Amino acid sequence: MTNVFAIFVGAGFGGVLRYWISLAVAKEYHGSFPMGTFLINLAGCFAIGYLATFFFNVLPLRETLRLGILVGVLGGFTTFSSFGRETFQLMGEGKPLTAFWYVILSNVFGIGLVWAGHLMAKSLHPMPVP
């Protein structure tokens, strides 16, 4: 039950953080591309790549704290359901090319940033040799 509570609290924090960042991006960017969700998802991909590697290899955390951060905070922060809705909405608005690029760029850069986060964690924190 402690793990569930940690995930619950982390998800709330991640969701509020996502909301604040979305507002900040919307204030500066006024195009039709869903830039706020795009940037949040990319940041979340990098963060999970880095933190998962860091937590499992350099700074092992108690399971409760690790789950609270990786599943809770990052799960509440990233927005795959918003991504799906925005893609669907772009298609409905007659913007299939924008929807296409949103899907392609989100996936290519997202996976690339998970990898980049992993590599950065490994380079900044050499893994112990067994």
Side-chain angles (χ1 to χ4, degrees):
M1 198 62 176
T2 305
N3 289 348
V4 171
F5 184 72
I7 293 168
F8 173 75
V9 170
F13 177 76
V16 169
L17 185 58
R18 175 181 69 219
Y19 174 70
W20 286 340
I21 291 172
S22 293
L23 290 178
V25 171
K27 189 175 183 181
E28 299 297 322
Y29 177 79
H30 305 289
S32 65
F33 190 82
M35 189 61 72
T37 302
F38 179 69
L39 294 175
I40 287 164
N41 284 338
L42 294 182
C45 285
F46 180 80
I48 203 163
Y50 182 92
L51 292 173
T53 300
F54 185 74
F55 292 156
F56 284 104
N57 296 294
V58 178
L59 181 67
L61 296 178
R62 288 190 346 250
E63 182 182 31
T64 301
L65 187 53
R66 189 180 78 247
L67 288 171
I69 295 169
L70 295 179
V71 177
V73 174
L74 292 176
F77 180 66
T78 58
T79 55
F80 194 74
S81 58
S82 295
F83 165 76
R85 183 185 151 280
E86 288 168 347
T87 303
F88 183 77
Q89 187 174 9
L90 286 167
M91 294 294 289
E93 293 171 354
K95 299 175 184 174
L97 192 58
T98 301
F100 171 80
W101 283 113
Y102 185 41
V103 169
I104 295 301
L105 292 171
S106 293
N107 283 283
V108 169
F109 285 119
I111 293 166
L113 284 166
V114 169
W115 181 58
H118 166 77
L119 292 177
M120 180 180 277
K122 283 179 67 175
S123 72
L124 292 176
H125 314 284
M127 306 300 150
V129 178

